[in-house]
Amino acid sequence: MDTMAAAVFDGKLEYVQDYPVAEIKPGWAKIKIELAGICKTDMEIMKGYMGFKGVLGHEFVGVVEACADPQWIGKRVVGEINAACGHCDWCARDLGRHCPNRTTLGIFNHDGCMAQYCQLPVANLLVIPEEISNERAVLTEPLAAACEILEQLPVSGKERVIVLGDGRLGILCAWVLSTAVEDVTVVGHHPEKLESAKWRGIQTTLNEKDLPPGADIVVEATGSGAGIVSAMSLCRPRGTIVLKSTVAISGDVNLAPVVINELNILGSRCGRFADALNIMRKYPDMPLSRLITARYPLEQVQEAFGRATQSDALKVLLEISP
Amino acid sequence: MDTMAAAVFDGKLEYVQDYPVAEIKPGWAKIKIELAGICKTDMEIMKGYMGFKGVLGHEFVGVVEACADPQWIGKRVVGEINAACGHCDWCARDLGRHCPNRTTLGIFNHDGCMAQYCQLPVANLLVIPEEISNERAVLTEPLAAACEILEQLPVSGKERVIVLGDGRLGILCAWVLSTAVEDVTVVGHHPEKLESAKWRGIQTTLNEKDLPPGADIVVEATGSGAGIVSAMSLCRPRGTIVLKSTVAISGDVNLAPVVINELNILGSRCGRFADALNIMRKYPDMPLSRLITARYPLEQVQEAFGRATQSDALKVLLEISP
């Protein structure tokens, strides 16, 4: 059996040189990984989220190395992370990311991409347009998650939007929203991250107390229960709070303001990769490279995760093959 | 100065015989109260909700006794509980119930209706149609709160709806929803209350575990944090949870399923009284009288509240004038 190098979580994170390479399933492709990203979800998995064990990682750029359909071979690709059944009502509605039978790359019943190879259904793959570099394309998955907000929530452009959280997800949400809405403010705790968030007139503040309440849309991307409490106080009656953090939020949360002000809390998760690639093409000046904090070879995956947990870190990448 | 009998909360609930009757404000009416209802919110106020002190009560039927506009005198009325400023953007949109300057009858800065008289702006009053009895009309306010769901959430009629909670609000929500949607199930803990909920094919169960998950709409009317957790597990991906309980919900609530399943949590509070009166006229067979557990004279307000807190109680009324 073939083996490969991989970052494996099995109660603890390890770099393994002889992880088995599985046989390719019918309709699936084997992808040689070039670059992978570390996501907050990966760190949550290491705390027990989803009970996942196996190869970590769901953000990647790679090249198709093997596939029954020869036209894919050699293509530079990104891939949607939910491998859906293709037969259920959700799949019929092109919403395989809610398919109840899905596996999820590096998150649920599906070995991830922090390895020399990963596998995904061909239906999940998107060829990366020539003009988009690997360093940009590796951000397709989190950028798609930000694009999901605009798929779920129609905007007029006149709204006042507050994004809570100056991590990579908060910044990406602000960037995507700023392409559709003029008045966007990011609230964070890190001056250097807030500086990175500035694009297309996005405003920033370290102190949410400085903001007038009554925002039409508040995006919660802090990943903490306190973010919800802030969002409830900043949102106008009948406004919308978008919950983006996929971490387990817990704590004593009084939801009475949701009822009194008839707020709409909208959970928002993965988005369409095609939307993310489109927005990258349409806005070549979107400063995605600012989000890259550091790059490590795969064998230094533990150092890479250590770097990713530091408070100033945005996106940490793993270089897997040149 | 004129005085009146009133049920007053000032740290504790008391029956007072000489509460001052305030002068009528311009544009307001003085209403002689005939019947008042005890609401869960009144009991929450007695635990500190809204920090309210004064005359309790916001559900009533009465007769206009004094008013600058003579055409109102002698009219049998119900009244919207939020006294709005009439000048702000919310008021301009006919959404005075979100006016930031509002007072709220018996809840916020506004003496309530568990007294011989209360006062409201004339703009808040609705004449009760002849064919609607006092015993039905006194339920206008909670029925309007149930009608609010259909104002906020368009339905096709094909949805599967679960209502959590067999209290009066849960039952009213189920009844209103059953006028627009065929498949409605109420989940509760009290067989006799569930029996009362049955109307227009509404199904009931004591055990939510018996229900298949994947409901399109789950209405949370239990007033407990556990209700939200149940709602999250019963709702399909991209479904809607309607939060109706105005009590302070608190506790350790993991909102991760909201994000993963992209749920929509919709806070829902007061509704339009006109909608409630219309639905009462349209459905004279709506079995509102089943909700009346007991009636007490105002001087027995403490006994009445005692009865209202018992687990089998639905609606307890106070008889104030014949």
Side-chain angles (χ1 to χ4, degrees):
Chain A
M1 188 166 44
D2 281 350
T3 61
M4 63 179 178
V8 179
F9 178 71
D10 183 20
K12 62 181 197 293
L13 175 65
E14 286 190 288
Y15 174 71
V16 172
Q17 279 185 290
D18 56 353
Y19 197 83
V21 177
E23 261 185 59
I24 308 177
K25 296 184 212 177
W28 288 46
K30 176 184 177 186
I31 302 146
K32 186 175 187 196
I33 305 298
E34 298 194 338
L35 210 51
I38 298 176
C39 170
K40 178 97 180 168
T41 303
D42 300 316
M43 300 186 222
E44 291 298 316
I45 286 170
M46 290 171 61
K47 296 177 197 158
Y49 180 65
M50 301 299 283
F52 178 80
K53 298 197 169 169
V55 178
L56 284 175
H58 57 276
E59 301 177 2
F60 74 90
V61 174
V63 173
V64 176
E65 182 167 291
C67 173
D69 180 349
Q71 74 175 0
W72 280 100
I73 309 286
K75 290 284 193 299
R76 191 171 64 115
V77 296
V78 286
E80 303 259 8
I81 72 175
N82 293 291
C85 72
H87 308 299
C88 71
D89 289 350
W90 293 100
C91 289
R93 291 165 55 199
D94 193 22
L95 280 169
R97 56 200 193 275
H98 286 295
C99 166
N101 310 311
R102 71 188 183 274
T103 64
T104 307
L105 186 70
I107 296 176
F108 185 69
N109 278 346
H110 190 150
D111 271 336
C113 62
M114 293 180 184
Q116 287 179 283
Y117 299 99
C118 83
Q119 294 195 20
L120 274 174
V122 168
N124 284 39
L125 303 182
L126 291 93
V127 173
I128 303 166
E130 192 82 28
E131 69 266 35
I132 299 178
S133 67
N134 274 8
E135 287 65 27
R136 291 175 80 77
V138 75
L139 295 167
T140 303
E141 196 275 339
L143 186 59
C147 291
E148 178 75 347
I149 299 174
L150 291 179
E151 170 167 332
Q152 294 175 280
L153 187 65
V155 296
S156 73
K158 300 287 181 205
E159 291 85 357
R160 186 155 72 84
V161 176
I162 295 174
V163 177
L164 299 176
D166 55 9
R168 52 208 170 264
L169 185 57
I171 293 174
L172 286 169
C173 289
W175 288 350
V176 168
L177 284 164
S178 78
T179 66
V181 178
E182 268 181 42
D183 189 346
V184 178
T185 303
V186 179
V187 182
H189 293 306
H190 310 87
E192 71 290 354
K193 288 184 180 178
L194 288 177
E195 197 54 39
S196 297
K198 287 180 181 169
W199 183 59
R200 285 178 72 85
I202 290 170
Q203 301 161 75
T204 64
T205 180
L206 285 163
N207 191 352
E208 69 183 53
K209 300 269 185 293
D210 293 345
L211 293 172
D216 300 290
I217 299 168
V218 181
V219 178
E220 201 301 295
T222 66
S224 90
I228 299 236
V229 176
S230 296
M232 288 190 291
S233 71
L234 288 167
C235 195
R236 69 162 168 82
R238 294 205 168 181
T240 301
I241 295 172
V242 180
L243 275 194
K244 281 305 305 185
S245 311
T246 56
V247 298
I249 295 164
S250 66
D252 231 28
V253 178
N254 178 353
L255 295 178
V258 177
V259 178
I260 292 175
N261 291 324
E262 298 193 321
L263 302 178
N264 191 3
I265 299 181
L266 189 60
S268 176
R269 192 173 44 108
C270 304
R272 295 183 198 280
F273 277 36
D275 292 345
L277 293 174
N278 283 340
I279 212 167
M280 281 194 232
R281 291 179 87 163
K282 189 167 173 193
Y283 298 95
D285 63 325
M286 185 183 279
L288 292 167
S289 61
R290 286 190 206 155
L291 300 185
I292 311 298
T293 302
R295 303 166 67 121
Y296 291 83
L298 182 60
E299 57 265 36
Q300 291 177 25
V301 64
Q302 287 168 327
E303 290 86 337
F305 269 76
R307 183 70 186 92
T309 55
Q310 288 170 356
S311 73
D312 68 321
L314 287 164
K315 180 61 68 184
V316 174
L317 299 180
L318 294 166
E319 294 170 332
I320 298 177
S321 82
Chain B
M1 188 165 46
D2 282 349
T3 62
M4 62 178 180
V8 178
F9 179 71
D10 183 21
K12 63 180 194 296
L13 175 65
E14 284 190 289
Y15 173 71
V16 173
Q17 278 184 290
D18 56 352
Y19 197 83
V21 177
E23 261 184 59
I24 308 176
K25 296 185 212 176
W28 287 47
K30 177 184 175 188
I31 301 146
K32 186 174 186 197
I33 304 298
E34 298 194 339
L35 210 51
I38 298 176
C39 169
K40 179 96 180 171
T41 303
D42 301 315
M43 300 185 224
E44 291 298 317
I45 286 170
M46 290 171 61
K47 296 179 199 156
Y49 179 64
M50 300 298 282
F52 178 78
K53 297 197 170 170
V55 179
L56 285 175
H58 57 276
E59 300 177 2
F60 75 90
V61 175
V63 172
V64 176
E65 182 167 291
C67 174
D69 182 348
Q71 72 173 3
W72 280 100
I73 310 287
K75 290 284 196 294
R76 193 170 62 114
V77 296
V78 287
E80 303 259 7
I81 72 176
N82 293 290
C85 72
H87 308 299
C88 71
D89 288 350
W90 292 100
C91 290
R93 291 165 53 198
D94 193 21
L95 280 170
R97 55 199 194 278
H98 286 296
C99 166
N101 310 310
R102 72 188 181 274
T103 64
T104 308
L105 187 70
I107 295 175
F108 185 68
N109 277 347
H110 190 150
D111 271 337
C113 62
M114 292 179 184
Q116 287 178 281
Y117 300 99
C118 84
Q119 294 195 21
L120 274 174
V122 168
N124 285 40
L125 302 182
L126 291 93
V127 173
I128 303 166
E130 192 82 26
E131 69 266 35
I132 300 179
S133 67
N134 274 8
E135 287 63 29
R136 290 174 80 78
V138 75
L139 295 167
T140 304
E141 196 273 341
L143 186 59
C147 292
E148 179 75 348
I149 299 174
L150 291 179
E151 169 167 332
Q152 293 175 280
L153 187 65
V155 296
S156 73
K158 301 285 180 207
E159 291 84 356
R160 186 156 70 87
V161 176
I162 295 174
V163 177
L164 299 176
D166 55 8
R168 53 206 168 267
L169 184 58
I171 292 175
L172 287 168
C173 289
W175 288 349
V176 168
L177 285 164
S178 78
T179 67
V181 179
E182 267 179 45
D183 189 346
V184 178
T185 303
V186 179
V187 182
H189 294 306
H190 310 87
E192 72 289 355
K193 289 184 178 177
L194 288 176
E195 198 53 39
S196 297
K198 288 182 182 167
W199 183 60
R200 286 177 71 86
I202 290 171
Q203 301 161 76
T204 64
T205 180
L206 285 163
N207 192 351
E208 71 183 53
K209 302 268 185 294
D210 293 344
L211 293 173
D216 301 290
I217 299 170
V218 182
V219 178
E220 201 302 294
T222 67
S224 90
I228 299 235
V229 175
S230 296
M232 289 190 292
S233 72
L234 289 167
C235 196
R236 69 163 168 80
R238 294 206 168 182
T240 300
I241 295 172
V242 180
L243 274 195
K244 280 305 306 185
S245 310
T246 57
V247 298
I249 296 163
S250 66
D252 233 28
V253 177
N254 178 353
L255 295 178
V258 177
V259 177
I260 292 174
N261 290 323
E262 299 193 322
L263 303 178
N264 190 4
I265 299 180
L266 188 61
S268 177
R269 191 172 46 106
C270 304
R272 295 184 199 279
F273 276 37
D275 292 346
L277 292 174
N278 283 340
I279 213 167
M280 281 195 232
R281 291 178 87 162
K282 189 166 176 195
Y283 298 95
D285 63 324
M286 186 184 277
L288 292 167
S289 61
R290 283 190 209 155
L291 299 185
I292 311 298
T293 301
R295 303 165 66 122
Y296 291 83
L298 182 59
E299 56 265 36
Q300 292 178 25
V301 64
Q302 287 169 328
E303 291 84 339
F305 269 76
R307 182 72 186 90
T309 55
Q310 288 170 358
S311 74
D312 68 322
L314 288 165
K315 180 60 69 183
V316 174
L317 299 181
L318 294 167
E319 294 170 332
I320 298 177
S321 82

